[in-house]
Amino acid sequence: IEKSTFGGQVTFSPKIENYPGIPEMTGNEFADKLLDQVLAMGAEVEMEKVTGIINEGNRKLVFAGAKKYEAKAVIIAVGVKHRQLGLERENELTGKGISYCAVCDGPFFRNKDVVVIGGGDSAINEALYLSSIAKNVTVIHRRNKFRAAQSTVDRIKQKENVTLMYDSVVKEIVGSAVVTGVVTENVETKAISEVKTDAVFVFVGMSPKTGLVSTLNKDNSGYIITDEKMQTNVPGLFCAGDVRSKPLRQIVTAVSDGAVAAHSVEEYIQTLNK
C-alpha cells in the first residue's frame, strides 16, 4: 500500500551510482523497474494513504482510505521525510521558490540562480545536478567541512558555477510572493549577508515517519528499533528501510532489510499456523 510514489526517496535521486550491478541509473528508472518486477511476481498494489494500524494480537488491522485490511503480519516501510529549516514563512513559500527535491523542481529554475542548503550526500548530489541546469549554484553549509563522500565533494569543487559557503546558516528567506534571496550568518564571525537567489533547495536531513504506531520502540532520533530479524517490540509488526534505526541508509541496506523482513514474516506466520 503506497500513498504517493512507489520507490520513496529513491525517486528524488538524479543518479544512482552505489547499487551493485547498476553503474548508473536515475532514481525514477530504478523505481519503475522495481514496480514492474513486483507486479510480474503477482503482488497486489494499492494507492492509498494508511491512516492507522491496530494490533489485535495475532490479527493486525490496517486502515487505508475507506478500506480495512486484515493481516497476520505487517511490514512497515514508510521511510523518511525531508526536514525543514524551521524558518518563518517557510511553509508559505514552499512551491514558490522553496523546494526539497531538485529533480522535481530544478528544471523550473533553468539558467537561474539557486541556493542549496546542507552538507551531506543528498545536498551535494542535488547541487551537482542543479549545476548542470542552473546559472549559478550557492551551497550553504553550517560547518567548515562537508559530510558528503569525498569523491562527491571533489566533483562539486570542480564546478565553475558553484560557490561554497562554509560556516554559514540561513537566518531568513527573503521574498513576498516568491523567493528572491536568503539572509545568512557566519557562525564564526557573526557577519550577516544576503544572497540573491531564485530558489532555495533544502537538504538538512531527514525525519522518520513513525506516527502510525505509537507503541513501537524508537531510538533518540525517532527511528524504529528492531532486532536482526526486523521484528519490532510488537509481535507481528516488522520494519524495513530508512525508517528503521541503523547506521547506514542506502538503497542496498533498504533492500537487505526488505529481504530479511519478508523471510521473518514467513517464519512468524508459520508459528501462528502450528
Side-chain angles (χ1 to χ4, degrees):
I1 306 172
E2 169 59 51
K3 75 169 184 177
S4 56
T5 304
F6 287 101
Q9 291 296 324
V10 71
T11 60
F12 298 142
S13 300
K15 184 187 296 184
I16 295 173
E17 300 175 294
N18 59 352
Y19 191 86
I22 299 179
E24 184 176 317
M25 182 181 291
T26 69
N28 276 320
E29 289 173 334
F30 185 77
D32 287 343
K33 289 183 180 295
L34 286 177
L35 181 57
D36 289 343
Q37 186 174 9
V38 165
L39 293 173
M41 295 295 290
E44 297 179 17
V45 299
E46 294 286 348
M47 294 298 297
E48 290 284 358
K49 179 182 178 179
V50 175
T51 55
I53 301 174
I54 295 179
N55 175 40
E56 295 188 344
N58 293 342
R59 185 177 76 148
K60 319 297 179 189
L61 299 179
V62 179
F63 296 88
K67 298 181 180 179
K68 179 177 72 174
Y69 299 85
E70 184 175 330
K72 294 181 179 179
V74 176
I75 299 175
I76 299 171
V78 291
V80 293
K81 61 183 177 181
H82 289 282
R83 188 176 295 142
Q84 293 186 312
L85 296 170
L87 296 177
E88 186 178 356
R89 302 184 64 237
E90 184 173 359
N91 289 330
E92 179 187 343
L93 290 173
T94 295
K96 300 175 182 178
I98 296 178
S99 174
Y100 305 88
C101 176
V103 178
C104 310
D105 300 323
F108 294 116
F109 302 97
R110 187 176 299 276
N111 298 322
K112 294 186 177 183
D113 296 329
V114 303
V115 160
V116 172
I117 303 176
D121 287 310
S122 294
I124 304 306
N125 278 316
E126 300 286 11
L128 279 170
Y129 167 72
L130 289 168
S131 70
S132 67
I133 57 177
K135 181 181 179 182
N136 294 296
V137 179
T138 301
V139 181
I140 301 173
H141 183 41
R142 61 180 177 175
R143 296 188 175 92
N144 61 5
K145 184 179 180 180
F146 291 116
R147 293 178 287 105
Q150 189 59 48
S151 59
T152 311
V153 174
D154 291 341
R155 287 166 60 191
I156 200 72
K157 288 181 177 179
Q158 295 173 3
K159 297 291 183 178
E160 295 183 356
N161 64 333
V162 175
T163 300
L164 305 178
M165 287 183 63
Y166 298 98
D167 293 323
S168 298
V169 294
V170 174
K171 304 294 289 185
E172 179 185 351
I173 297 175
V174 182
S176 53
V178 295
V179 170
T180 59
V182 295
V183 176
T184 68
E185 179 185 61
N186 186 288
V187 297
E188 296 294 333
T189 66
K190 304 303 178 182
I192 301 294
S193 61
E194 182 172 338
V195 178
K196 300 293 184 181
T197 185
D198 298 294
V200 177
F201 292 89
V202 181
F203 304 102
V204 291
M206 300 289 186
S207 298
K209 302 176 184 178
T210 55
L212 282 177
V213 185
S214 60
T215 55
L216 296 182
N217 289 342
K218 304 175 184 70
D219 63 17
N220 292 334
S221 298
Y223 291 89
I224 297 173
I225 297 173
T226 72
D227 60 17
E228 291 186 358
K229 291 187 173 184
M230 306 298 137
Q231 172 70 64
T232 68
N233 61 294
V234 177
L237 290 185
F238 298 79
C239 180
D242 285 358
V243 73
R244 190 174 78 86
S245 178
K246 56 183 179 178
L248 180 65
R249 292 179 176 84
Q250 290 186 350
I251 300 171
V252 67
T253 64
V255 170
S256 173
D257 287 355
V260 174
H263 179 72
S264 299
V265 162
E266 183 179 15
E267 289 186 331
Y268 172 78
I269 293 176
Q270 286 176 354
T271 63
L272 297 181
N273 294 335
K274 289 181 178 179

